[in-house]
Amino acid sequence: SHASAPMTPPRKMSDVAPRTTGDAAARGMTDVASPTRAPPTLVDKLDKRNMWDIREGLRVVILGATPAPLGSQKAWPPPRSERAQPTKEETMKVYIAFGEMLQLDGQAPWESEESEDEEGGVSAESEEQPRPRSPAGPATGLPAIRWGSFFTWVESGSCAVDVRRKCVYEALLNASEWFYHTKLLPERRRKGLTLAILFRWIWPWANNGAVQSMFNWICLEEYENIRLPAPPVVGDREASEMKRLYYAMDLDGKGYCNPLDIAGGDHADIVVRIRNSIDEASVKTILGDRSIQLHEFYELMCEDGYRGHEDARRAILKDGRYVIKFRSEVVDFEAWILKDSPQEQLDCLRIAGILEQEVLDGGAQLKGRMPHSAGCALA
């Protein structure tokens, strides 16, 4: 009789998992096979099928894509013909769905621990100057959804849909649970599901520049929520009258007015005191001890509901509210907003500040947030 060959002990799952490196790992996409690489294992095929099911499910559920026909090959990575870059419309659909998940998770959208003033608003006085980043951004960061809430969101969406879409929902649920149990360290599980991971799941080939553009679009949409109509510029006739008055008040012909000029002269003179209702000390208290140029005089003297000149950055509305011209250099946004922020405007500014941080980082913060497709370690 011949001796039987010794049995080879079975390898652990981690031994047969495909190796991934760099940015490809963050997208669940393995490197291109080399001539010396071993043929795909069962685990390889399972990984690719599940990543395909996650992307297909999110495209159908969030983007409204038509499900692939039954029996379609689950090719992963997706062929180049299917690697279209994300559009603004698609990005906003993902953002809206993310907000729904946050509500299901019991979170107020983009919660912040910032304190408010006694009247429930925060002054936007500092917003007259460009604000490169919000204080809430680095401190609060992007919110995350508990994984259990995401699974519930998927399950609840599978109701009242046709059989084909129900299969897509079930495949998405199974694949995302597989991802949770096999690809995440305990620490990553506790951190939850982020908007960045959703982007990477749907567009695994998108580079950091594309993801940066997505956050830029979302940030601009948040800013649009607080845009007010620009106050019209005061008419030429009114501007001419204000100019004539300004130079008439310039008592010494200096070319500008100081607090004494604005007060109408020395109030020790009884005639001056009778003609003018405000004295020099009061002007200094309100405007400061400084010269007042013509363009500022226009802003001070123009009718409510108008701005004094084309380049004015502040105005008073007809209802008495102060508005300022706000600009974000980060996303190249400019608009008129309320100087004293109500809660709704404050929330939008805070959210936009968080998103601005992602834009400033150029997508660098996404690095390391997505686990390797074949292991349990983070990049």
Side-chain angles (χ1 to χ4, degrees):
S1 62
H2 60 278
S4 59
M7 296 182 60
T8 301
R11 291 183 291 174
K12 296 182 292 183
M13 182 173 290
S14 59
D15 296 331
V16 299
R19 292 178 178 273
T20 56
T21 58
D23 224 21
R27 296 161 171 77
M29 298 170 67
T30 58
D31 296 334
V32 178
S34 65
T36 58
R37 179 164 296 176
T41 65
L42 180 61
V43 175
D44 293 332
K45 295 177 180 178
L46 178 63
D47 283 354
K48 293 180 178 181
R49 188 196 71 183
N50 282 320
M51 292 306 300
W52 188 94
D53 283 337
I54 289 175
R55 176 175 178 262
E56 173 73 1
L58 293 175
R59 289 179 68 251
V60 171
V61 175
I62 296 178
L63 303 184
T66 302
L70 286 172
S72 298
Q73 181 182 4
K74 298 185 177 183
W76 192 266
R80 293 193 179 277
S81 60
E82 296 183 12
R83 299 187 188 184
Q85 291 299 313
T87 66
K88 180 179 179 181
E89 181 183 5
E90 291 172 333
T91 300
M92 294 311 301
K93 286 182 178 180
V94 177
Y95 183 58
I96 291 171
F98 186 74
E100 294 173 354
M101 296 177 200
L102 282 175
Q103 291 183 342
L104 182 64
D105 197 37
Q107 300 185 49
W110 307 80
E111 289 178 331
S112 172
E113 296 180 356
E114 287 188 41
S115 60
E116 302 171 7
D117 64 13
E118 295 179 358
E119 298 180 358
V122 172
S123 174
E125 179 72 29
S126 59
E127 306 301 343
E128 291 192 46
Q129 301 300 323
R131 181 178 57 87
R133 61 181 68 193
S134 164
T140 308
L142 290 168
I145 303 157
R146 286 173 293 186
W147 286 92
S149 297
F150 173 71
F151 300 145
T152 301
W153 178 81
V154 176
E155 286 181 304
S156 61
S158 64
C159 303
V161 295
D162 58 68
V163 175
R164 179 69 191 95
R165 281 178 169 76
K166 191 174 185 66
C167 293
V168 172
Y169 274 94
E170 290 177 354
L172 170 59
L173 179 61
N174 292 334
S176 56
E177 288 181 340
W178 155 86
F179 185 90
Y180 173 82
H181 288 293
T182 65
K183 306 303 175 187
L184 296 178
L185 288 167
E187 179 184 357
R188 177 68 264 182
R189 295 177 188 175
R190 288 191 294 270
K191 289 183 178 179
L193 174 64
T194 65
L195 181 59
I197 291 181
L198 284 177
F199 285 158
R200 293 301 195 189
W201 271 349
I202 300 175
W203 296 283
W205 56 84
N207 57 27
N208 284 342
V211 176
Q212 182 184 21
S213 295
M214 296 163 76
F215 281 112
N216 195 93
W217 290 330
I218 296 172
C219 186
L220 286 172
E221 285 297 315
E222 287 293 345
Y223 275 138
E224 286 294 339
N225 291 329
I226 59 174
R227 180 191 290 275
L228 297 174
V233 179
V234 69
D236 292 339
R237 181 178 176 181
E238 290 78 5
S240 178
E241 287 294 322
M242 288 189 291
K243 184 176 182 178
R244 183 192 61 78
L245 176 62
Y246 177 80
Y247 286 114
M249 296 177 69
D250 178 10
L251 301 178
D252 302 325
K254 304 178 294 299
Y256 63 88
C257 290
N258 56 28
L260 179 65
D261 297 328
I262 298 297
D266 187 357
H267 277 232
D269 186 332
I270 186 63
V271 176
V272 172
R273 192 183 314 166
I274 293 174
R275 288 181 176 178
N276 299 276
S277 59
I278 186 170
D279 59 14
E280 182 183 3
S282 299
V283 175
K284 288 181 179 179
T285 301
I286 298 171
L287 301 178
D289 188 5
R290 58 185 179 84
S291 61
I292 292 88
Q293 301 300 325
L294 178 61
H295 68 277
E296 186 178 1
F297 187 77
Y298 284 152
E299 296 173 13
L300 293 170
M301 300 299 292
C302 73
E303 181 183 351
D304 288 355
Y306 293 86
R307 64 186 196 269
H309 54 91
E310 188 66 39
D311 297 326
R313 302 193 65 85
R314 59 184 177 182
I316 302 176
L317 301 180
K318 288 186 179 296
D319 60 9
R321 292 181 299 170
Y322 283 79
V323 291
I324 58 173
K325 200 168 189 179
F326 167 85
R327 177 165 180 79
S328 166
E329 297 289 351
V330 177
V331 294
D332 192 22
F333 174 85
E334 191 169 77
W336 288 89
I337 66 172
L338 293 172
K339 178 186 174 185
D340 297 313
S341 297
Q343 187 62 47
E344 182 179 357
Q345 178 174 293
L346 177 63
D347 290 340
C348 287
L349 288 172
R350 180 171 59 245
I351 293 169
I354 296 172
L355 293 166
E356 276 186 355
Q357 186 63 52
E358 292 295 330
V359 176
L360 282 169
D361 291 344
Q365 286 190 349
L366 300 177
K367 212 172 183 181
R369 290 190 179 183
M370 188 77 167
H372 288 276
S373 65
C376 295
L378 295 175

